């Protein structure tokens, strides 16, 4: 009997985190007897062998071109090599994944919904129209237009690309004089097409979950910590966030209501928000798992959780765990933030990574390389993810272990 087949669109990203996520996703598919077929960019397939070698097949397909990806999938189907489920771990592959699911009549989110949530301005507008508090958001097509906004409204403001993830191109502007720097920080593909939003001050969280039979199910709320402005790079996560039960329920209800309004109904979700003096203000919504080793924290905190496998089971009409599940344990991730300069060496790494509570470890720089101040998620020097009995212990352990790793930096001369 031919086993059910899963198409994993985008495969693994080339960074250690992307590979780790894809490996977990593929392992949970194989544990359910699924044949895994992976498509990705040729250059990614070459450097993500840990994931590629777990799949049954891997083929180079331009998944960032949804039309080309759909044509490839339809051709496979016509040759009798179709798929029973389609999934992605990657933000950039969400449009192609949605269109492939529609073309092959497989469960998934519609491409209209994916396009809506990936357009930050459109998603903001839809949620605001439905009564969800949002930061004031203004699409701009020129520096002059943005400058007029800054002159007409109280700051501070946030300048960001209309699409994207990982804090790429996002920066704080405290005065009109800082606009030029912020526009120069935008990714080149943004061009003269960006957003100016009001800055929200408050404790920041994200909500992690999955859909079961079309309904959102919250798995955990994550507390977030960020490096100092002007950039919005995340430095640490603690899961579950230590929150009073009434606030936790309010956050869960707000997020699940928002997901229903947006029309999401399949896969995983990661929704960001602030808790302010005026209440809950929603941030960005993603139809994917959160980054920064949240997948490892969730797997440790919730006994028996296989989030990717549950998405596959839901797609195939198989039984999935019923009812909400709480976190019996906790986890925390903390990123290193060494000063800029030339790296001479790293001390204490082996001692830190040998700790039995470490769930994942990543070192993104090597001796001789230049360390820069992180202005987006991909620019961070590395991280440790740990598990513990409760959130306070997890956060404290993550701090202690990362503080024990010393980066020997040769400062660069200031011009």
């Amino acid at each position: 009997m031919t086993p059910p087949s899963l198409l994993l669109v985008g495969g693994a990203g080339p960074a250690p985190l992307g590979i780790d996520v894809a490996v977990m996703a593929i392992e949970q598919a194989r544990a359910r007897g699924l044949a895994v077929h992976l498509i990705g960019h040729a250059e990614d397939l070459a450097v993500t062998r840990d994931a590629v070698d777990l799949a049954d097949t891997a083929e180079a397909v331009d998944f960032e071109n949804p039309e080309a990806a759909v044509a490839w999938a339809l051709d496979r189907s016509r040759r009798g090599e179709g798929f029973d489920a389609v999934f992605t771990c990657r933000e950039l592959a969400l449009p192609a994944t949605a269109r492939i699911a529609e073309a092959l009549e497989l469960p998934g989110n519609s491409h209209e919904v994916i396009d809506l949530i990936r357009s930050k301005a459109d998603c903001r507008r839809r949620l605001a129209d439905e009564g969800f508090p949002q930061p004031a958001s203004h699409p701009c097509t020129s520096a002059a237009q943005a400058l007029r906004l800054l002159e007409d409204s109280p700051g501070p403001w946030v300048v960001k690309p209309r699409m994207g993830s990982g804090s790429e191109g996002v920066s704080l502007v405290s005065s009109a004089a800082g606009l030029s720097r912020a526009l120069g920080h935008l990714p080149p593909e943004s061009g003269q097409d960006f957003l100016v939003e009001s800055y929200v001050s408050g404790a920041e969280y994200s909500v992690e979950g999955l859909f079961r039979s079309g309904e959102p199910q919250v798995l955990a709320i994550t507390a977030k910590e960020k490096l100092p402005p002007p950039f919005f790079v995340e430095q640490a996560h603690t899961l579950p966030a230590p929150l009073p039960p009434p606030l936790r329920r309010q956050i869960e209800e707000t997020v699940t209501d928002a997901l229903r309004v947006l029309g999401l109904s399949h896969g995983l979700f990661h929704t960001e928000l602030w808790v302010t003096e005026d209440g809950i203000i929603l941030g960005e919504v993603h139809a994917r798992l959160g980054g920064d080793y949240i997948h490892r924290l969730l797997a440790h905190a919730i006994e028996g959780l296989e989030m990717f496998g549950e998405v596959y089971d839901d797609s195939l009409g198989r039984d999935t765990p019923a009812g909400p599940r709480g976190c019996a344990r906790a986890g925390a991730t903390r990123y290193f933030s060494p000063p800029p300069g030339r790296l001479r060496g790293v001390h204490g790494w082996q001692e830190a990574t040998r700790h039995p509570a470490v769930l994942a470890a990543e070192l993104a720089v090597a001796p001789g390389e230049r360390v820069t101040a992180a202005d987006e998620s991909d620019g961070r020097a590395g991280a440790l993810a740990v598990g513990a009995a409760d959130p306070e212990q997890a956060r404290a352990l993550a701090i202690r272990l990362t503080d024990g790793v010393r980066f020997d930096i040769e400062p660069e001369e200031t011009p």
Side-chain angles (χ1 to χ4, degrees):
M1 181 177 178
T2 303
S5 59
L6 168 72
L7 175 61
L8 185 63
V9 182
L17 172 61
I19 296 171
D20 195 60
V21 169
V23 165
M24 180 183 282
I26 296 171
E27 287 176 342
Q28 292 181 14
R30 300 299 296 265
R32 284 159 171 75
L34 306 184
V36 180
H37 306 276
L38 184 155
I39 60 173
H41 294 149
E43 58 270 26
D44 291 346
L45 299 180
V47 297
T48 58
R49 299 305 310 181
D50 286 352
V52 169
D53 291 346
L54 288 176
D56 292 87
T57 66
E59 189 168 340
V61 177
D62 183 9
F63 63 85
E64 291 187 58
N65 181 341
E67 291 75 18
V70 168
W72 176 89
L74 287 172
D75 180 65
R76 285 284 302 255
S77 182
R78 282 191 291 267
R79 289 190 276 123
E81 302 170 352
F83 306 101
D84 301 290
V86 57
F87 182 74
T88 185
C89 303
R90 303 183 66 181
E91 174 81 25
L92 292 175
L94 286 169
T97 303
R99 285 166 171 79
I100 289 172
E102 290 175 341
L104 301 184
E105 299 183 351
L106 299 175
N109 295 302
S110 72
H111 77 271
E112 291 93 351
V113 169
I114 293 299
D115 291 346
L116 169 65
I117 66 165
R118 295 195 74 237
S119 172
K120 298 177 182 181
D122 292 341
C123 189
R124 287 258 192 270
R125 191 177 304 113
R126 177 65 182 275
L127 289 173
D129 288 346
E130 295 292 336
F132 293 91
Q134 297 280 282
S137 183
H138 306 278
C140 292
T141 56
S142 70
Q145 183 184 6
L147 184 59
R148 289 194 295 271
L149 280 170
L150 268 59
E151 292 172 341
D152 293 340
S153 61
W157 308 268
V158 177
V159 173
K160 60 168 59 174
R162 290 201 187 205
M163 292 188 180
S165 60
S167 302
E168 182 183 14
V170 184
S171 58
L172 181 71
V173 178
S174 299
S175 68
L179 178 61
S180 177
R181 175 198 53 78
L183 295 181
H185 182 59
L186 289 168
E189 60 270 20
S190 293
Q192 292 295 308
D193 190 11
F194 56 93
L195 299 177
V196 174
E197 296 189 340
S198 59
Y199 173 72
V200 178
S201 177
E204 188 167 351
Y205 302 91
S206 64
V207 180
E208 330 302 338
L210 52 79
F211 292 91
R212 189 174 66 225
S213 301
E215 280 295 305
Q217 177 185 344
V218 172
L219 296 173
I221 300 173
T222 307
K224 303 155 75 78
E225 300 174 50
K226 295 194 172 183
L227 293 172
F231 307 116
F232 292 85
V233 180
E234 295 175 0
Q235 182 184 31
H237 303 269
T238 303
L239 180 158
L243 295 167
L247 178 57
R248 186 183 70 246
R249 288 192 294 270
Q250 185 183 6
I251 290 173
E252 293 179 354
E253 290 170 3
T254 299
V255 167
T256 53
D257 287 346
L259 294 170
R260 294 185 185 101
V261 162
L262 293 171
L264 284 169
S265 60
H266 186 76
L268 301 169
F269 64 83
H270 169 74
T271 303
E272 298 166 348
L273 58 89
W274 297 270
V275 175
T276 73
E277 293 179 352
D278 298 322
I280 296 170
I281 297 180
L282 288 178
E284 295 179 3
V285 178
H286 300 281
R288 57 163 174 79
L289 180 74
D292 293 356
Y293 296 96
I294 285 176
H295 66 297
R296 290 292 172 189
L297 306 187
L298 282 168
H300 174 79
I302 302 176
E303 187 175 358
L305 174 68
E306 292 191 349
M307 69 203 85
F308 301 108
E310 290 187 28
V311 171
Y312 310 147
D313 289 340
D314 187 64
S315 294
L316 297 170
R318 298 175 174 177
D319 291 336
T320 57
R325 290 161 289 181
C327 293
R329 295 178 293 190
T333 302
R334 194 164 190 90
Y335 278 82
F336 303 107
S337 52
R342 189 71 58 179
L343 181 64
R344 288 186 288 228
V346 179
H347 307 284
W349 174 252
Q350 296 297 331
E351 293 81 357
T353 56
R354 280 199 293 263
H355 194 286
V358 170
L359 304 173
E362 174 187 337
L363 191 60
V365 292
E369 294 181 347
R370 183 170 176 263
V371 176
T372 59
D375 58 5
E376 60 182 70
S377 296
D378 287 344
R380 295 171 296 186
L384 291 173
V386 303
D390 60 56
E392 290 77 12
Q393 291 181 36
R395 182 177 182 274
L397 178 59
I399 292 173
R400 179 166 67 83
L401 291 181
T402 52
D403 284 351
V405 178
R406 185 173 64 85
F407 289 75
D408 183 6
I409 302 289
E410 178 182 354
E412 295 184 339
E413 293 185 8
T414 303

